[in-house]
């Protein structure tokens, strides 16, 4: 049961009332840490890459990057007993989505959320038709995330949140497999100025009206101990704040099945790397200085798998 599409993983999660984290990677080391965590927890895994990650991995060429990620993920997935999917995160460029499908990604997100509702629906429907014809699952987004989406600043206002009636129509019309409704989260390490709060009423309504697996973007928790460790070794993460664990647990109760997590992994890696380099100024072997950062990323992922209820669900 190795390399599967994300729909397979999420429909089971939807029936079982748990969520699976979708974990972003840009390179080999984060993938190794995530795979180890999944195997140790006997959990399904969703690996995702942004369009930027594909360009990065291919040294500017997203075609090459997409091929590389498929080979890397399959090299692990084909030899372990947990289901693993590879998903494009926030796909906005038709050419990059097609490159991913051609390279062998099992899942994509078409993010046309910056367009008016009708155009979002049209773009999504088109991608669903193409992707489904080759067994690739599709995610779309409704409403806008406040904050930053792949370096584009998105303004914060109530109108940016999902409209539940629109969500119903959108799912019916497009045939999308799972949906990301904007309910008040944002990307990055600075999510809330005051108290962390999500619009659970909206979430419940979207779930009732659509029934499909739902996705929470911008779901990193920015754990206090990671932030402290990084700051102890010179980082400046003043004001960093994530989605608290209790809020994640609650959102799973109301129908979230995919929990996108990138920032927490990045922060854990850099915190540990800073500590290691400060303590080992003479070290220059990457296999050594990446060892503790990978361990810490693995532990952060294991914490998430347990929190979201997907341990032992492989
Ligand atoms: O789509 N993503 C990952 C990429 C966002 C840029 O970091 C998420 O929704 C996860 O967001 P985060 O920042 O909370 O990990
Ligand atoms: Zn996102």
């Amino acid at each position: 049961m190795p390399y599967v599409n994300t729909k397979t993983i999420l429909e089971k999660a939807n029936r079982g009332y748990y969520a699976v984290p979708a974990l972003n990677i840009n390179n080999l080391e984060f993938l190794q840490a995530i795979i180890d965590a999944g195997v140790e927890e006997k959990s399904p895994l969703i690996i995702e890459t942004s369009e930027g990650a594909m360009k990065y991995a291919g040294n500017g060429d997203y075609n090459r990057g997409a091929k590389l990620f498929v080979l890397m993920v399959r090299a692990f997935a084909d030899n372990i007993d947990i289901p693993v999917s590879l998903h494009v995160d926030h796909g906005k460029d038709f050419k990059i989505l097609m490159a991913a499908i051609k390279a062998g990604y099992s899942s994509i997100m078409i993010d046309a959320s910056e367009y008016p509702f009708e155009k979002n629906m049209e773009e999504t429907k088109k991608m669903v038709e193409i992707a489904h014809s080759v067994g690739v699952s599709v995610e779309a987004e409704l409403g806008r995330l406040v904050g930053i989406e792949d370096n584009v600043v998105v303004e914060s206002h109530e109108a940016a949140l999902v409209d539940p009636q629109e969500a119903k129509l959108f799912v019916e019309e497009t045939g999308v497999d799972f949906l990301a409704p904007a309910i008040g989260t944002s990307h990055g390490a600075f999510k809330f100025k005051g108290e962390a709060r999500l619009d659970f009423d909206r979430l419940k309504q979207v779930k009732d009206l659509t029934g499909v697996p739902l996705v929470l973007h911008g779901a990193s928790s920015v754990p206090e101990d990671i932030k402290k460790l990084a700051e102890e070794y010179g980082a400046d993460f003043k004001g960093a704040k994530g989605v608290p664990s209790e809020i994640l647990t609650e959102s799973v109760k109301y129908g979230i099945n995919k929990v996108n997590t990138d920032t927490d992994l990045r922060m854990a890696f850099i915190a540990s790397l800073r500590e290691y380099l400060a303590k080992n100024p003479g070290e220059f072997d990457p296999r050594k200085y990446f060892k503790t950062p990978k361990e810490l990323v693995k532990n952060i992922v294991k914490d998430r798998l347990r929190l979201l209820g997907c341990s032992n669900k492989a």
Side-chain angles (χ1 to χ4, degrees):
M1 188 186 32
Y3 189 61
V4 299
N5 68 27
T6 311
K7 180 183 175 168
T8 313
I9 293 175
L10 292 184
E11 288 198 329
K12 196 173 162 213
N14 200 7
R15 289 195 298 273
Y17 300 96
Y18 61 91
V20 180
L23 305 150
N24 285 71
I25 61 164
N26 292 281
N27 60 12
L28 173 66
E29 284 72 20
F30 283 69
L31 176 62
Q32 292 170 323
I34 294 163
I35 293 284
D36 277 355
V39 169
E40 285 177 28
E41 287 297 314
K42 299 184 176 56
S43 167
L45 288 175
I46 302 166
I47 311 290
E48 57 184 23
T49 70
S50 66
E51 294 181 339
M54 282 180 232
K55 290 181 193 155
Y56 169 78
N59 247 358
D61 177 347
Y62 55 78
N63 270 297
R64 218 190 284 164
K67 282 185 202 156
L68 201 59
F69 282 132
V70 170
L71 283 172
M72 266 182 6
V73 169
R74 293 209 65 153
F76 287 102
D78 291 342
N79 293 294
I80 51 181
D81 277 338
I82 57 171
V84 180
S85 74
L86 177 60
H87 178 77
V88 178
D89 190 28
H90 295 287
K92 295 183 185 217
D93 183 335
F94 183 73
K95 294 194 299 298
I96 300 185
L97 285 169
M98 291 312 293
I101 292 175
K102 193 171 162 214
Y105 274 62
S106 63
S107 187
I108 57 163
M109 173 186 192
I110 160 79
D111 181 0
S113 64
E114 71 216 67
Y115 297 114
F117 177 72
E118 293 292 334
K119 166 110 165 138
N120 185 355
M121 200 149 70
E122 208 177 287
E123 293 294 313
T124 302
K125 195 172 177 172
K126 182 174 80 184
M127 261 342 284
V128 167
E129 237 170 76
I130 295 169
H132 281 183
S133 72
V134 286
V136 167
S137 55
V138 183
E139 169 183 349
E141 179 173 316
L142 265 186
R144 307 285 331 260
L145 259 72
V146 291
I148 296 169
E149 286 194 356
D150 231 352
N151 296 328
V152 180
V153 178
V154 180
E155 292 303 320
S156 151
H157 51 86
E158 178 78 0
L161 300 184
V162 65
D163 173 335
Q165 291 299 336
E166 281 188 354
K168 178 177 157 58
L169 179 64
F170 188 92
V171 169
E172 285 168 1
E173 282 291 310
T174 60
V176 76
D177 300 301
F178 38 105
L179 182 71
I183 55 167
T185 53
S186 63
H187 288 138
F190 306 90
K191 299 187 188 299
F192 302 100
K193 290 228 170 66
E195 200 194 334
R197 218 176 50 85
L198 300 185
D199 196 333
F200 287 134
D201 284 339
R202 233 174 253 266
L203 172 60
K204 280 186 245 177
Q205 286 177 51
V206 172
K207 192 70 178 193
D208 281 349
L209 291 165
T210 66
V212 293
L214 298 180
V215 184
L216 189 65
H217 279 256
S220 274
S221 295
V222 189
E224 203 49 46
D225 51 338
I226 297 293
K227 192 175 142 188
K228 256 178 73 184
L229 178 65
E231 288 190 323
E232 206 179 312
Y233 291 96
D236 178 5
F237 293 151
K238 241 187 293 336
K241 198 169 187 177
V243 183
S245 306
E246 316 80 69
I247 292 193
L248 288 181
T249 318
E250 216 171 336
S251 48
V252 173
K253 207 166 73 192
Y254 299 136
I256 291 292
N257 303 108
K258 175 174 180 276
V259 173
N260 280 24
T261 309
D262 185 5
T263 296
D264 284 0
L265 311 188
R266 295 176 175 197
M267 287 186 109
F269 196 93
I270 200 69
S272 177
L273 184 58
R274 280 178 177 278
E275 180 187 21
Y276 184 88
L277 294 177
K279 289 182 174 167
N280 301 274
E283 190 51 68
F284 54 87
D285 181 344
R287 293 167 301 183
K288 295 201 175 131
Y289 60 70
F290 283 162
K291 191 169 187 291
T292 59
K294 277 168 32 175
E295 281 288 314
L296 195 55
V297 171
K298 180 181 91 177
N299 289 332
I300 288 286
V301 173
K302 285 175 78 170
D303 287 349
R304 284 238 128 180
L305 299 174
R306 292 194 201 114
L307 177 78
L308 301 175
C310 60
S311 293
N312 298 310
K313 294 292 198 317

